[in-house]
Amino acid sequence: MSIAKKLEVWQAQNLISAEQAKKITAYEKENHKSVLTLPMLALGFFCIGLGIVSLISANWQVIPDSVKLAMDLIIMLSLAESIFFCYFKEKDNWFEGLLLLFSVMVMASIGLIAQIYQLQTQGLQACLLWCVLVFPLVIISRKVILPLIWLPIFTASAVDTLSNIYFFRELLKIIENTFPFAISVCGILIFAYIYRFISYYFRTRLAPQIKAMKFWLGFDIVSMVILMDFGASNMFSGIFYEDILNGDNYRSILVICSLILANVGFGYFSYKYNYSRLLTCVLAILLGFSIIYMTLPDNSTILDLWGFLLTMSILSTVVAYALIKNRVKLLNVATACMAIRIFFVYLQVFGSMFTTGIGLIISGILFLSLIYGWKKLHLNTLLIIKESK
C-alpha cells in the first residue's frame, strides 16, 4: 500500500487530521529518493571501470609500462579525490558508486602490477589481496552493495589461502571425516558467531555491513538445507558412524562435542542479550540432523524422508517464530515452502500422480483441521480471559 493510500485510511479512521496528512505528504515528497538511483549509478560506474580495463587491454602491447603505471596512478588519485568530495558533501549515491568504481580499479591495478613485474600468485591470493586493500572502503560504505560483493570473495579467498597451510588443511580433514556436512555446518556456525558479535558491538556503526552478513548467512543456511535435503541420498557414507562406534577416531567425538558446546554457547549468548532464538534453533537442527545422518541405513527412501523431516523442522521453527513475532510475510513464505515441500515428498515416495493426489488431499484436510482447531482454541482462550476480567 502506498503512502497516499495509508494516509487516506488513517484519516478515515481519525488517526490523523487532514493538516497532518498534508505535512506528511509534503515531507515525503521533499525527502523521497528514487529506488533506481543507486543501483543505476553502481551499474554505470561498474561498466565504466570494466570499459577502462577493456580499452587498456586492447592497446596493451603498444603502451609502455611506465605510461600504464602513471595512467593507473592518475585514475586512482582522481577517484580518491572524488570520493572524498562526495563524502564531505554528503552525496551518498555518488559516493557509493565511486566506491564501487574505485574497488574495480583496485583489482585492475593488482592485475596490472602483476603483469608488468611478472608476479605469480597461487589460488585466490590476488582476490584476498584485493579484499584487504578494499576493506577500509567496505567499512566506510553507507550502503549494502559493496559489503554484499566483498563478503563472499573474502570468505572464498581466505579459505583458499588458509588451505595452503598444513595445520589448517589437516584440521579440515579431521572435521570432514567426522560426519557428512560437518565442514558446512561448522562454517555456518563460525559465520553466525561473527555475525552476532559484530551486530552486538557495532549495531549502529556498521548497519549496512551487518545487513550484508545477515543476507549471506540466510543464503548459506537455505543452500545448506536444500543440499542436505535433496542431496542426502548421494552423499551417504556409513564409515563415519562405524569409526566412532569402534573408538578408532577419538578426534571425531571431540569435534562433535565441540560443535554441540558451540551451539549451546551461541544459544546462551542469544538468550542473555535478548536476541532472536530462531537462528539458535536453526543451527541446532542442522547439527542434530547432520549427526543423525550417520546412523541411517543406506536406503534412498529413508534418506529422502530424513531430508523431508529436516526441511519441515526448519520451516516449522520459522512458522513458530513468525507467529510469535507477528511476522505475516515471513509466515506466508514459510507456509508456502512447506506446501511445496510436501508436494515433492509425495513425488519422491509414492511416484504416481494418483497416490500423490490422495496423499495431498489427506494432508490438506489435516492442515485445515489443525487451523480450525487452533482458531477455536484461540477464541476460547480470549473468552476465558474476558470473563476473568
Side-chain angles (χ1 to χ4, degrees):
M1 186 183 293
S2 65
I3 186 66
K5 292 289 185 181
K6 288 182 179 180
L7 290 174
E8 289 179 7
V9 173
W10 294 344
Q11 195 173 347
Q13 297 294 325
N14 294 323
L15 298 175
I16 59 174
S17 63
E19 185 65 26
Q20 289 174 324
K22 290 180 180 178
K23 289 182 179 179
I24 294 173
T25 303
Y27 176 81
E28 289 294 327
K29 286 181 178 179
E30 290 177 2
N31 294 273
H32 177 71
K33 294 181 180 179
S34 176
V35 177
L36 290 174
T37 302
L38 180 58
M40 292 303 292
L41 278 174
L43 181 60
F45 281 123
F46 183 76
C47 291
I48 290 172
L50 291 181
I52 293 172
V53 174
S54 299
L55 287 174
I56 295 174
S57 300
N59 303 279
W60 196 251
Q61 301 299 328
V62 298
I63 302 175
D65 293 341
S66 58
V67 176
K68 295 174 186 175
L69 291 173
M71 289 174 59
D72 181 70
L73 182 61
I74 292 171
I75 292 172
M76 297 296 285
L77 289 175
S78 301
L79 286 174
E81 184 180 0
S82 301
I83 289 171
F84 276 108
F85 175 80
C86 294
Y87 178 82
F88 289 110
K89 293 295 183 179
E90 296 185 353
K91 297 179 179 293
D92 292 343
N93 290 335
W94 284 93
F95 174 74
E96 295 297 328
L98 288 169
L99 279 184
L100 186 61
L101 177 58
F102 190 87
S103 302
V104 174
M105 291 307 300
V106 169
M107 178 58 77
S109 300
I110 293 173
L112 173 64
I113 295 171
Q115 189 273 334
I116 291 175
Y117 295 100
Q118 299 296 315
L119 301 176
Q120 300 295 326
T121 59
Q122 294 181 353
L124 300 176
Q125 289 180 347
C127 293
L128 182 60
L129 176 60
W130 175 83
C131 291
V132 173
L133 295 175
V134 173
F135 180 70
L137 305 181
V138 177
I139 295 298
I140 66 174
S141 177
R142 298 168 179 170
K143 303 292 182 180
V144 74
I145 294 178
L146 185 57
L148 205 62
I149 297 171
W150 183 87
L151 268 171
I153 298 175
F154 172 75
T155 303
S157 59
V159 172
D160 179 76
T161 304
L162 288 172
S163 299
N164 297 322
I165 302 174
Y166 175 79
F167 172 78
F168 186 80
R169 190 165 58 249
E170 290 300 312
L171 180 62
L172 286 181
K173 287 182 180 180
I174 292 172
I175 297 174
E176 184 180 15
N177 292 330
T178 301
F179 58 88
F181 315 106
I183 290 180
S184 298
V185 172
C186 186
I188 290 175
L189 182 59
I190 293 172
F191 192 19
Y193 262 100
I194 297 172
Y195 163 73
R196 188 68 84 209
F197 176 83
I198 294 177
S199 61
Y200 178 74
Y201 287 102
F202 306 100
R203 183 182 305 174
T204 306
R205 187 180 303 174
L206 299 177
Q209 292 76 9
I210 293 170
K211 189 176 180 180
M213 292 185 69
K214 184 178 181 180
F215 169 82
W216 284 116
L217 180 59
F219 178 84
D220 291 342
I221 290 174
V222 171
S223 301
M224 185 63 192
V225 171
I226 294 174
L227 173 65
M228 293 174 69
D229 187 344
F230 295 97
S233 57
N234 298 324
M235 298 183 66
F236 180 84
S237 179
I239 189 172
F240 300 95
Y241 186 58
E242 292 175 3
D243 287 343
I244 293 176
L245 284 181
N246 296 331
D248 295 334
N249 197 349
Y250 68 92
R251 293 175 298 186
S252 297
I253 299 175
L254 181 62
V255 170
I256 292 174
C257 293
S258 299
L259 288 174
I260 293 173
L261 289 175
N263 269 274
V264 173
F266 187 85
Y268 174 75
F269 182 86
S270 300
Y271 172 78
K272 182 178 180 180
Y273 295 103
N274 199 28
Y275 279 102
S276 168
R277 281 47 162 193
L278 176 62
L279 183 56
T280 303
C281 294
V282 169
L283 294 174
I285 291 171
L286 285 176
L287 178 60
F289 271 83
S290 298
I291 296 173
I292 292 172
Y293 185 86
M294 298 184 297
T295 66
L296 300 177
D298 188 6
N299 182 281
S300 60
T301 302
I302 293 176
L303 294 176
D304 287 339
L305 288 174
W306 172 87
F308 169 75
L309 290 175
L310 165 67
T311 302
M312 295 302 289
S313 298
I314 297 287
L315 291 174
S316 299
T317 305
V318 175
V319 167
Y321 170 81
L323 287 172
I324 294 171
K325 298 295 183 179
N326 196 25
R327 300 278 297 274
V328 179
K329 290 183 179 180
L330 182 62
L331 177 64
N332 292 337
V333 171
T335 50
C337 291
M338 291 178 75
I340 294 171
R341 187 62 189 93
I342 290 171
F343 176 76
F344 274 108
V345 79
Y346 282 116
L347 292 179
Q348 288 176 295
V349 176
F350 297 112
S352 70
M353 293 301 294
F354 177 77
T355 51
T356 300
I358 296 296
L360 288 172
I361 291 172
I362 295 173
S363 299
I365 293 173
L366 178 62
F367 282 130
L368 291 174
S369 302
L370 289 173
I371 293 171
Y372 177 78
W374 182 82
K375 284 191 173 182
K376 280 287 187 181
L377 179 63
H378 182 65
L379 290 173
N380 291 334
T381 304
L382 292 177
L383 289 173
I384 293 171
I385 294 173
K386 287 182 179 179
E387 290 175 358
S388 63
K389 291 182 178 180

